[in-house]
Amino acid sequence: MNTNQVDTSLQAVVATYNGFLKHPEFREIAEGSLQLIKQSGFSKILVDTRQTRVIQKESQEWIDRDWFPRAIRAGVKQMAFLTPDDFFGKMSVEATNKQAVLVGEIDIQYFTSINAAKRWLLSKNGH
């Protein structure tokens, strides 16, 4: 199941990507995350890609050129990615975010543990 939800305890949007997603499905999830960021006013996204296979080139390019600039404008400051165990899936996720990491407007970190990802996001609350 591909979902977006708001986690008020984390003050973050949680996006879940499963399997091999065609570009329209991938785009729908990413757009849903952005919509919830705008509605919630939160600045963090926990992206669960543990069950993701390779991300299509079209989706990678769209995220880089279109989505990340809009995410920055919407106020996204931190993104924690739960990466797949699968080597190719992990490389695909990291390649998709490479340009955004270089730009540096959004703090992007990769985790294999959901608890570590949540701890990192909670540490970004500024309390």
Side-chain angles (χ1 to χ4, degrees), residues 67-87:
W67 191 88
F68 271 118
R70 290 187 294 125
I72 292 165
R73 287 194 301 273
V76 175
K77 299 286 185 217
Q78 290 92 22
M79 293 181 74
F81 283 83
L82 290 167
T83 56
D85 289 334
D86 173 73
F87 174 79

Side-chain angles (χ1 to χ4, degrees), residues 15-58:
T16 305
Y17 293 79
N18 285 328
F20 181 83
L21 298 170
K22 291 181 170 48
H23 181 62
E25 297 166 311
F26 181 91
R27 189 174 175 156
E28 185 178 324
I29 298 166
E31 291 290 0
S33 298
L34 213 47
Q35 191 173 11
L36 286 179
I37 282 290
K38 291 175 185 174
Q39 289 171 0
S40 69
F42 294 151
S43 62
K44 301 178 288 190
I45 304 176
L46 173 60
V47 185
D48 186 347
T49 62
R50 290 176 293 183
Q51 302 302 315
T52 300
R53 299 300 170 247
V54 174
I55 298 170
Q56 290 184 318
K57 186 81 172 150
E58 181 182 9

